[in-house]
Amino acid sequence: MKRSWILVVVALCLAFGLRALLLIDATALWSDELYSVGKSFQPSFRSLLAMLREDTHPPAYYGLLWLWGHWVGQSPVSLRLLSWLAYLAGGLVMVRQAMALAQVGARTRVAATAMLLAFCSPYPIRFAIEGKSYAVLVLLVALAWWWRRSAHPIAYGAVAVLAGLTHFYGLFLVLAAAAWDGWQRRWTSAAAALIGAIPALAWMAYAADYLFSSRAGSWIGVPDYALFEETLARGLGLWPLPKLALILLLLVSLRRWGGLRRLPWPSWELLDRSGLMPSLLMVLGVVAVSFVKPMAFSRYFVVLLPAVVPVVAVQIGALELNRLGRGCGLVVLSLLLISWWGPGFSELDAGVGGVREQDQFWLLSQRTSGLEERYSPRPRLFNLSDRMELAMGRIPAPSSPWGGKADLTQRLKGQDLPQQLWLASSGPPPAMERKLKPLLSQVEQAGFHCEPQVNDLTHGRLLRCRFEAMGRSE
């Protein structure tokens, strides 16, 4: 590959990475990110561990975020910046792994392909600036596969500990690798993985009351075709099935006219050393168990990236094509990159409304700044949003916190009713209306008349409720 093409690839990766960084504060923190704030930005590490006992995820990411917040500050930007740095580091490890697995003569082409997949494709871009554990998990899994391939059991075991304690899919992957390596009679690697899994298993025992209750993962359904399609869309971007058809058409064209003599199947050694076989074993196990206890969720399959990216890069880099074949491949690659640059960033750059995952907490925090008597069916998230908006200097310190349904009930039982109060919620419109309805019924029964105050929010609602006696006097 010519030097000029390498420079083009590097420039593209820089453009994608920097665009993600520039969008770090373009959208509101959505509910899961606000929960990350509530879990991690605690006054003490002991408080953090106590809270995580009633949570779906293990503690390593939140502990790292706690340390990070005390070092660089606790704000929406610092929350997402940690993920962006992990996205960069994880991408570099995946590229290096692909080069190590490639044939010597093809390493430049393999590196270029791996860079485009690791830094520009939708899956890594989607989680590059999300205040969740996914980018850190990808980095740790990439390091685990690197040390496993390099036969460094101590480093492999140490990273396996961190991966398992970052996300339970990391634990499942470590256990699958232990089972696979044991079957292949690689006892040292199997033992390193099993030892690495012990801390995460101990955490599961510590948090067992919550993890094995009906509340844990209650939003996850049983596996179906939608799970497959959504996972595929996260990997390929918008219109995944037409893109698969385009890739298939490209392969047929290359076989007939592009100089491709045969379509090479990945070697057994490549599938094994890359970590793809343990990854596929993990997927089969998770999907099978999910028919009994649902846990297969499309965003969690981001853990497959560190194994899939090197394998795909090695396979593409090994293709020997004629001039027409290289031209056809460049056209298809350009179409993919255009779709990744446009729709691929749509969830990170939501425009003026700042919607992220159907939430608009930050705008409601700004619109209600300085108001008293604020109530919501999601008071914790609104208080965390106020806290983050205050940290960014976009609102002054609230004079009183948001109250929930119980607080509203208690307030309406008092003798001195407020002349006006405010109701707000954010989220998907049907769920938002459903959760807000009980509070609205309460205040209306108490003699208040409520009117909408904002019409420009697609995923937020704010009601001003005035006591009827006040309305009549006016």
Side-chain angles (χ1 to χ4, degrees):
M1 178 176 276
K2 295 181 180 179
R3 179 186 177 91
S4 58
W5 283 111
I6 292 293
L7 293 177
V8 169
V9 170
V10 171
L12 283 170
C13 294
L14 286 173
F16 273 81
L18 290 175
R19 184 180 180 188
L21 179 61
L22 292 174
L23 294 174
I24 200 166
D25 193 39
T27 56
L29 294 182
W30 68 289
S31 56
D32 276 15
E33 292 180 299
L34 289 171
Y35 282 127
S36 292
V37 170
K39 297 168 193 175
S40 301
F41 293 165
Q42 294 285 329
S44 70
F45 196 74
R46 179 177 295 181
S47 302
L48 181 146
L49 292 178
M51 176 170 288
L52 290 178
R53 189 172 187 176
E54 295 291 321
D55 190 70
T56 307
H57 302 299
Y61 168 72
Y62 299 106
L64 174 62
L65 194 55
W66 182 82
L67 292 171
W68 174 257
H70 279 74
W71 182 39
V72 302
Q74 300 176 350
S75 71
V77 171
S78 66
L79 175 73
R80 289 173 170 172
L81 181 60
L82 179 63
S83 294
W84 187 79
L85 294 173
Y87 148 78
L88 290 185
L92 291 173
V93 175
M94 286 187 276
V95 171
R96 189 66 186 89
Q97 175 83 318
M99 294 176 66
L101 292 168
Q103 298 293 329
V104 175
R107 283 182 178 170
T108 303
R109 294 195 301 272
V110 168
T113 306
M115 288 172 65
L116 292 174
L117 294 174
F119 294 111
C120 305
S121 62
Y123 235 145
I125 283 292
R126 173 62 185 79
F127 299 117
I129 52 170
E130 178 156 300
K132 295 287 291 177
S133 63
Y134 305 118
V136 173
L137 178 63
V138 167
L139 168 61
L140 292 173
V141 172
L143 287 171
W145 293 148
W146 171 269
W147 292 120
R148 175 179 175 271
R149 179 195 54 78
S150 304
H152 285 80
I154 295 178
Y156 174 44
V159 176
V161 170
L162 295 175
L165 285 173
T166 297
H167 196 285
F168 285 125
Y169 265 53
L171 170 63
F172 301 154
L173 207 52
V174 168
L175 292 174
W180 175 259
D181 286 332
W183 188 35
Q184 299 296 312
R185 298 182 181 276
R186 288 192 290 263
W187 305 119
T188 301
S189 293
L194 282 175
I195 294 172
I198 290 175
L201 292 172
W203 179 266
M204 287 184 71
Y206 172 73
D209 289 345
Y210 178 82
L211 290 175
F212 295 102
S213 70
S214 59
R215 294 178 294 161
S218 57
W219 65 90
I220 302 177
V222 297
D224 54 14
Y225 176 74
L227 172 66
F228 167 75
E229 189 174 32
E230 186 177 354
T231 304
L232 199 61
R234 289 189 183 277
L236 293 176
L238 192 65
W239 308 311
L241 295 179
K243 285 179 180 176
L244 278 181
L246 179 63
I247 293 171
L248 180 60
L249 178 62
L250 173 65
L251 292 175
V252 172
S253 301
L254 293 179
R255 186 74 176 84
R256 296 195 62 178
W257 304 293
L260 182 63
R261 295 181 180 179
R262 65 183 182 87
L263 186 61
W265 188 255
S267 67
W268 184 261
E269 182 184 15
L270 175 61
L271 296 175
D272 181 17
R273 295 177 70 207
S274 65
L276 188 57
M277 292 306 296
S279 298
L280 294 177
L281 182 62
M282 185 274 292
V283 171
L284 290 175
V286 165
V287 171
V289 172
S290 292
F291 285 102
V292 180
K293 171 65 175 175
M295 62 177 69
F297 198 42
S298 64
R299 62 172 47 218
Y300 295 168
F301 288 125
V302 71
V303 297
L304 302 179
L305 279 179
V308 171
V309 166
V311 170
V312 173
V314 168
Q315 290 302 108
I316 294 176
L319 298 179
E320 295 292 342
L321 306 174
N322 60 27
R323 186 173 181 178
L324 177 61
R326 291 193 295 272
C328 292
L330 184 60
V331 169
V332 171
L333 175 61
S334 299
L335 292 174
L336 286 175
L337 287 171
I338 290 170
S339 74
W340 293 348
W341 179 265
F345 279 92
S346 61
E347 292 186 77
L348 306 183
D349 185 8
V352 178
V355 181
R356 182 77 166 264
E357 293 285 349
Q358 303 189 72
D359 283 330
Q360 288 181 296
F361 288 101
W362 70 344
L363 286 181
L364 287 168
S365 287
Q366 293 171 20
R367 301 284 176 88
T368 60
S369 175
L371 300 179
E372 302 282 347
E373 304 287 354
R374 300 178 299 169
Y375 299 92
S376 171
R378 311 178 81 181
R380 184 187 176 203
L381 294 177
F382 272 102
N383 283 320
L384 291 170
S385 177
D386 283 0
R387 179 180 169 188
M388 290 296 96
E389 290 303 291
L390 174 62
M392 294 298 294
R394 290 193 279 251
I395 64 172
S399 56
S400 60
W402 287 82
K405 183 178 180 181
D407 300 299
L408 179 60
T409 301
Q410 189 66 30
R411 184 71 176 92
L412 295 178
K413 287 181 179 179
Q415 296 296 323
D416 185 20
L417 292 179
Q419 294 300 303
Q420 69 175 8
L421 52 81
W422 303 83
L423 301 179
S425 190
S426 183
M432 178 175 61
E433 297 292 340
R434 185 182 69 252
K435 293 177 180 179
L436 194 58
K437 188 175 180 179
L439 278 69
L440 181 58
S441 298
Q442 271 189 291
V443 297
E444 287 178 343
Q445 291 174 7
F448 287 82
H449 175 69
C450 300
E451 296 179 347
Q453 294 299 299
V454 292
N455 298 314
D456 58 333
L457 302 186
T458 56
H459 294 82
R461 194 172 182 202
L462 177 63
L463 301 175
R464 180 186 183 187
C465 301
R466 296 191 293 175
F467 195 50
E468 285 287 0
M470 178 183 176
R472 287 192 295 268
S473 67
E474 292 179 348

